[in-house]
Amino acid sequence: MDDSETDFNLKVVLVNFKQCLNESEEILIDHYLSGWRGLVKFLNSLGTIFSFISKDVVAKLQIMEQLRRSPQGENYINLQSMVAYEVGHQLVDLQRRAGHPNSGCRTLLRLHRALRWLQLFLEGLRASPEDARTSMLCTDSYNASLAAYHPWVVRQAVTMAFCTLPTRKVFLESMKAGPPEQAVAMLDEALPFLERVYEITQQLYADHALLDLP
């Protein structure tokens, strides 16, 4: 397997998230999952301490891919149709994990929460000065998103791991998008799409009281 298949590539990830939204602002699940497969490479590039997140994400991606390939796969073409189908057919465990622990709604909610962390971190990289500490950017993004769903011991380990992150310049260069200023320009163009995907998902889940699924 060559580098193009194994390395994180910012452009490929952001293109997939740009293509997530159709003209009706429906979130196309296939592009969403493709974007996440690229983000898994990003997580892996941060070091082995992040494997607990990337492994969980991979497991969630596999569940969603199985749902897309299932006889009911046409109901999982986009996020809105998935929510309508699962809620309408009572396929979501609203109070406790019981009959449908791997529902699409629950599975994608976990991806949604992780996406918020990465969105905030990439936005921090885009907007920060050259001498900004990526460890602080990552910590602030984590505390504003995923930290609320992790036990104390995990939060401590993750915060310590952030201290090993490289400088902002090195980090941007590792994104395979050209020089740092080109990576920033790419983030500037594509992050609004990532944010819009997050906002639409957040509102859809809020409308159906799905944000706190067990």
Side-chain angles (χ1 to χ4, degrees):
M1 189 173 290
D2 61 31
D3 288 345
S4 65
E5 295 175 305
T6 59
D7 287 353
F8 171 69
N9 186 298
L10 177 63
K11 182 177 181 179
V12 173
V13 170
L14 296 181
V15 164
N16 271 297
F17 277 107
K18 285 176 68 173
Q19 294 176 337
C20 270
L21 297 175
N22 63 16
E23 292 180 356
S24 301
E25 287 206 314
E26 294 169 328
I27 297 175
L28 305 177
I29 287 180
D30 286 344
H31 284 297
Y32 186 91
L33 299 182
S34 293
W36 256 116
R37 282 190 286 271
L39 288 177
V40 166
K41 298 176 183 178
F42 172 63
L43 289 170
N44 290 336
S45 75
L46 297 178
T48 56
I49 189 63
F50 294 95
S51 62
F52 79 97
I53 296 178
S54 63
K55 287 179 180 178
D56 185 59
V57 167
V58 168
K60 299 297 186 288
L61 293 177
Q62 290 173 345
I63 292 171
M64 293 304 302
E65 288 161 357
Q66 288 168 4
L67 290 171
R68 281 289 290 125
R69 293 194 300 266
S70 73
Q72 294 75 38
E74 63 184 26
N75 297 297
Y76 294 86
I77 291 176
N78 62 66
L79 182 62
Q80 289 80 355
S81 64
M82 179 190 78
V83 170
Y85 170 69
E86 291 198 341
V87 172
H89 289 78
Q90 298 182 332
L91 299 175
V92 186
D93 297 328
L94 298 176
Q95 302 300 326
R96 60 186 180 87
R97 294 181 65 181
H100 307 286
N102 292 331
S103 66
C105 287
R106 180 186 184 277
T107 301
L108 198 133
L109 176 61
R110 272 57 186 177
L111 296 174
H112 174 65
R113 291 170 177 172
L115 185 63
R116 180 60 168 171
W117 166 45
L118 292 173
Q119 176 212 339
L120 292 173
F121 179 49
L122 292 174
E123 175 59 31
L125 280 176
R126 184 199 68 80
S128 60
E130 290 185 8
D131 60 351
R133 294 172 57 193
T134 54
S135 59
M136 290 303 300
L137 295 174
C138 210
T139 297
D140 290 345
S141 302
Y142 177 76
N143 288 338
S145 53
L146 269 183
Y149 307 103
H150 290 159
W152 180 86
V153 64
V154 171
R155 294 198 303 269
Q156 292 298 110
V158 168
T159 301
M160 291 184 64
F162 291 156
C163 295
T164 66
L165 292 176
T167 65
R168 179 179 180 274
K169 180 176 183 292
V170 171
F171 207 105
L172 290 170
E173 289 175 345
S174 73
M175 289 184 167
K176 312 293 183 182
E181 57 272 18
Q182 190 170 333
V184 168
M186 193 177 298
L187 286 171
D188 191 44
E189 175 189 356
L191 274 174
F193 290 93
L194 192 60
E195 183 176 3
R196 187 61 183 149
V197 168
Y198 176 85
E199 289 174 347
I200 292 171
T201 305
Q202 184 77 1
Q203 188 60 56
L204 181 65
Y205 270 61
D207 290 344
H208 290 84
L210 300 175
L211 286 173
D212 297 312
L213 291 179

